[in-house]
Amino acid sequence: RLRVSKEHSELSKVFPPQKNPEIVYTFVYQDGLTHACDWLMAQAAAGKASHRCYVATTMRAYDKLREEYLAAKRYVDVAYIEGFLSGLLYGIATRAERRHIPLYYVFGAQEDLKSLSTYRKWARHAESLHKPAYRLATKVVEKRLGSSGELAIHHTPFL
């Protein structure tokens, strides 16, 4: 959770949203990751977080939502759900499996984005990878960009 928070705050300095609107999806993906960690901690109090079947059932429900939101072109929510699913997977994964969980998100990327260099490689092609998602990201940046030139994108912990 701490690593995700650190990456989240540093990314807009490296990838200014005005020039890199696709970063919106990484921001909300990372919100999904951190919210999944919060959810797992809350479920741990009830003894459910370590129950793989319970977490797997929750993951199936979110995967179904992801499909519905993708069909509805709700790309911001799709990226958030992808992050939430990755966070749930992290909670039940082995140490070795956790190394494969992405930290970044680009619509249409053909590999897990686990490093900043891998993210950068795919982000360069974000517009051609998924044109409708890129257009939406551009609109989100234009709408949310403050007069200071700073952009704070966060997804609520619910859909």
Side-chain angles (χ1 to χ4, degrees):
R1 189 177 188 344
L2 183 60
R3 180 176 177 211
V4 172
S5 295
K6 182 181 175 198
E7 287 291 323
H8 198 87
S9 64
E10 294 296 319
L11 276 175
S12 61
K13 296 174 189 170
V14 179
F15 297 95
Q18 301 89 322
K19 294 180 181 178
N20 305 93
E22 72 282 348
I23 196 71
V24 165
Y25 297 115
T26 288
F27 288 155
V28 297
Y29 173 86
Q30 291 177 345
D31 284 343
L33 276 171
T34 58
H35 294 161
C37 290
D38 294 342
W39 183 87
L40 286 165
M41 288 190 311
Q43 297 306 308
K48 295 179 179 179
S50 60
H51 195 298
R52 292 179 73 85
C53 291
Y54 178 75
V55 175
T57 299
T58 302
M59 290 177 73
R60 281 191 294 279
Y62 273 88
D63 192 50
K64 184 176 180 194
L65 269 180
R66 184 192 63 76
E67 290 174 18
E68 291 171 14
Y69 285 21
L70 187 58
K73 300 179 181 176
R74 292 178 59 176
Y75 302 122
V76 172
D77 291 327
V78 170
Y80 174 81
I81 291 169
E82 291 279 354
F84 196 83
L85 286 166
S86 292
L88 292 179
L89 182 60
Y90 186 89
I92 60 172
T94 65
R95 184 176 292 221
E97 291 168 333
R98 287 177 176 171
R99 291 194 314 257
H100 300 287
I101 295 175
L103 189 56
Y104 309 93
Y105 189 86
V106 172
F107 264 95
Q110 299 298 309
E111 66 181 301
D112 292 335
L113 308 182
K114 298 175 284 193
S115 70
L116 190 57
S117 62
T118 306
Y119 171 78
R120 185 175 313 214
K121 177 178 91 172
W122 287 98
R124 281 187 212 124
H125 306 288
E127 185 173 10
S128 62
L129 288 170
H130 199 293
K131 289 178 185 180
Y134 188 86
R135 280 193 301 272
L136 179 62
T138 301
K139 289 178 185 177
V140 168
V141 169
E142 289 170 358
K143 182 179 176 183
R144 298 258 182 106
L145 196 62
S147 58
S148 66
E150 295 205 13
L151 179 73
I153 297 286
H154 291 284
H155 197 287
T156 59
F158 50 86
L159 295 167

